[in-house]
Amino acid sequence: MAASSDRNPPPFPTAEESEPGLCDMADADSDDGEDIFVSNSNLVSVSRGVSQPDRVTEEPSDLFSEEEEEEAASSTAAKANGVHSDDDNDLFADASVELSTDKSGSSARKEPSGPRHASSFTPSPAAMQPTSLEQLEEEEAKDSFDVDVAVTNPEKVGDGMNAYVAYKVSTRTSLPMFRSKVFSVRRRFSDFLGLYEKLSVKQSLHGCIIPLPPEKSVVGMTKVKVGMDDPSSVEFVERRRAALERYLQRVVSHPSLLQDPDVREFLEREDLPRAVNTQALSGAGFLKMINKASDAVNKMTIKMNESDTWFEDKFQEVENEEQQLRKLHVVVDSLVNHRKELCGNTAVFAKSLAMLGNSEDNTALSRALSQLAEVEDKMEQLHQEQAASDFFIFAELLGDYIRLLGAVRGCFDQRMRAWQRWQEAQSTLQKKREAEAKLLWANKPDKLQQAKEEITEWEARVTQYERDFDRIGMTVRKEVLRFEKEKAKDFKSQIIKYLEAMLQSQQRLIKFWEAFLPEAKAIA
Amino acid sequence: MMEEVKEAASVLSVHDDSIKVTEVLKDGDTLTFIIVSQKLSGTGEYHVDRTYEDFEWLQQHLFSQEDVPGIQGVIFPPLPAKPQVNASSRSIKQLGFLALGECQPYCKALETFLQQVAAHSILSKNKAVEVFLTSSDPPGRQKVKKNIFNRLSQAVEEMRKEGHKDVDEFFQNERDHNLVLTGCTKTAAEKFLDVVATEQKIAVACGHFSTALHLCVEPGEDPDKQAFSRVCVKLSEVFESIKKNMTSVAENNVNTLGLGLDLESRYQEAEREMLFRRTCKLVELENARRNTEKAKPVKKAAMEEVKKAAETEFEHISGVAKQEIERFQGARVEMLQQALVSWCEKQLLTAKESADQFNQHLEVFRGMA
């Protein structure tokens, strides 16, 4: 499963954007009309309307730098390495000069096996920062998966209640099945839902764990339609943008889904016909849909005798895990709320300190208090970011997985339905045979012919359905194993991101205190 | 039992800065504080146990020294409000920072009170102080005779007095300034308390998250399941660390700046009360002067007497008050500085420790297969 966006989660919109490490929200394209992947010094800070030239210590802000790990599992990845064409070299030829000055972790990302790209590497090793060397080693150990997607630049289109938000979906790939290497399209939310709708009904994908897009939100969208400027709208849009990105990343990192023409069309086609079936995927949400299907399965009269307990056991595990993640999600939500509260309280305290400093006669004390008020303001900023970190990293991660586990349950149900269809076909076949026997006895040759034809037809069906059932069973097994692998990796990489953010916070905090200490000492 | 304490002057036989409230014992609803102080002469300590009522006894004695000239000009070290074992929410609110923690902030506040009393040039001479700190028997619990400090609540007429214009610019400035500062300090202390309360909530939530993660650990040899379980266990440890960090941050806040703001706030109140007493005296004096002028010759001599007495008292009070104010202004700046410095140092240390821990956790995760 793909990691979610690797840039630092943006602060909640009430923050003043004074720190260089913060991301802007849906701001103007800093593309300036250039393709976002090939821009001069922006190879690292590939923008989503964001450029972060000042950040020194953190992970590279390249859109795609941390996604290979998730995509390594793909079988096409093994072939992908051989598919790197010279075009790739050209892609980075411009950037090769820049490598020595950039935080070049991102450039390491794309060229995991050395020799082919030696030319673009020569200036860089010495200039690389330690983290990117690490990444380089990591990437050499894995296969790189040559499709990266990003969802950026949300823009409001239209006015009033018919307005909607269009997102830029950018793809970078070296796979030949795509028309070009780097391209982007504009898509709206219902397009994403439409993609899911198309994928979820495909017979060929039965048994696959199809990632879920974010849920519809009438309330959220209404606010956005009215105006995109207020903090809660900005937050809503950003949350949705990030969720759509994670959704697409998971889709393209799934080997079977990537091969699907609908996915390709979604990524490539300029004008996508509007999805109209999304009315069904309304605010009730996907899980409700899956649960309804689940109930239907449970109500069916024919119960399955599992020869293999693997499926039963796994299903139970999945259900348990879903419950546990839900509990975790509740706790994280409360944590996020407390952090937001801390922001508010810190801001109020800062103000009260400023007032105290102003009323204070003693100049040294007054100055120290005013300084302290500023420190507290900065700390409010910090708390904002921590809250955002908690939220965007953990809350969303847990939310994603709760829904994914629902999708996993859905796969099991699909297998169950396949079994039932097979059983029903067998039962129909049996009836047809009985009917034939009756006809034989009654000696009606013309009807007999028809009966024989039907029997043949149903025999074929039985065979087909049995094959389908076996196939789905195998798919489900494979999918579940892949899912578990990806889950562990996904969590691990998100936690690392979180720890890095926390570490950074603490270091900034240390700086604040170190700066304030002499002021405090200078009072008397 | 020393029921009656003569208001004779005495010299305190302990080092004022050695006074410590070392522990508090809980017996049902009663809290007993152990107070230790070092003898001035030679080695040795005094150990006494006192309840809150004993502190009040001491305070009453200090208030009722009517024969000490200008006593009303003294800014009395403020005694913290009464603690309760099963505190009502109102009393918790009243105590503010002092209600937090096990008892340390409160004990510290009591300790500060005693140190300030013992260090005060006028107050330390009161025999009650010596008795309180050194007598192994509990001091008397009898309520001392009524004194002018018993009712400082602001009745409507008294509120008018508070606004009464001063004859001395120094004092008028001080009164105006005190009014503003009292409000600001109180607000700052309250808002800081809110910050601390939220920090504690975050610590609790982190603890919950840490515990809940353990539920995700699953048995079994499946390597991928094991990988995920390991992740959960390690993450649980991370949040345990975060919880500890938050708890330390909150504690540091309470024990340094919190206490400092609390003390400053109560001290500003104490100054306000002193200034009010002086203002009341001023009003009394002005009334006496008017009465003298208006008095019929029969009463005039008596009125003169009253007026003279009021004048003398007022002079004494103003004299003491001026000294007290100057001392107070110096002391509070020093006290706040100490609070700010030690707050900063503690938070810096905590932040560094926390950064180290995050680093370690990061190493662990990066090293995980």
Side-chain angles (χ1 to χ4, degrees), chain A residues 120-192:
Chain A
S120 47
F121 264 155
T122 25
S124 53
M128 272 194 201
Q129 311 205 350
T131 49
S132 48
L133 267 172
E134 240 180 350
Q135 276 185 323
L136 178 56
E137 285 159 33
E138 236 180 30
E139 282 136 24
E140 287 192 319
K142 299 188 184 190
D143 298 323
S144 75
F145 190 61
D146 277 299
V147 183
D148 295 312
V149 293
V151 176
T152 60
N153 302 80
E155 269 172 17
K156 188 170 158 194
V157 176
D159 268 318
M161 290 315 280
N162 290 327
Y164 63 90
V165 177
Y167 302 86
K168 182 174 177 182
V169 174
S170 317
T171 313
R172 179 162 55 167
T173 177
S174 58
L175 295 177
M177 67 178 170
F178 289 99
R179 281 192 293 235
S180 27
K181 298 267 174 281
V182 170
F183 49 92
S184 67
V185 292
R186 291 200 79 76
R187 294 283 180 258
R188 55 186 291 184
F189 182 67
S190 55
D191 295 331
F192 291 81

Side-chain angles (χ1 to χ4, degrees), chain A residues 54 68 103 117-118 138 170 225 372 378 399 405 441 465 472 503 511 521:
Chain A
D54 302 323
E68 301 84 321
K103 314 163 220 12
H117 304 278
E138 236 180 30
S170 317
K225 288 185 201 210
L372 188 56
K378 291 197 188 130
L405 285 170
W441 203 79
Y465 292 165
I472 288 189
L503 183 57
K511 284 208 177 63
K521 287 189 168 157

Side-chain angles (χ1 to χ4, degrees), chain A residues 317 321 324 332 338 341 345 348-349 352 359-360 362 372 484-485 492 499-500 503 506 513 520-521 524, chain B residues 177 184 188 191-192 194 198 201 209 215 224-225 228 332 337 343-344 351 354-355 362 365-366 368:
Chain A
E317 277 175 24
E321 186 158 30
Q324 282 152 7
V332 169
H338 290 323
E341 204 188 314
N345 288 345
V348 169
F349 177 55
S352 74
S359 324
E360 179 60 52
N362 181 299
L372 188 56
E484 286 177 348
K485 250 196 191 68
K492 181 181 148 200
L499 284 172
E500 285 172 347
L503 183 57
Q506 289 300 115
W513 290 129
K521 287 189 168 157
Chain B
H177 194 239
C184 288
K191 300 310 172 195
F192 197 49
D194 289 340
T198 316
K201 280 192 221 168
F209 193 51
L215 297 174
D224 292 320
K225 277 245 161 306
F228 187 66
R332 67 173 276 271
Q337 187 215 21
W343 178 55
C344 190
S354 185
L362 206 49
F365 269 95
R366 283 189 177 139
M368 268 168 83

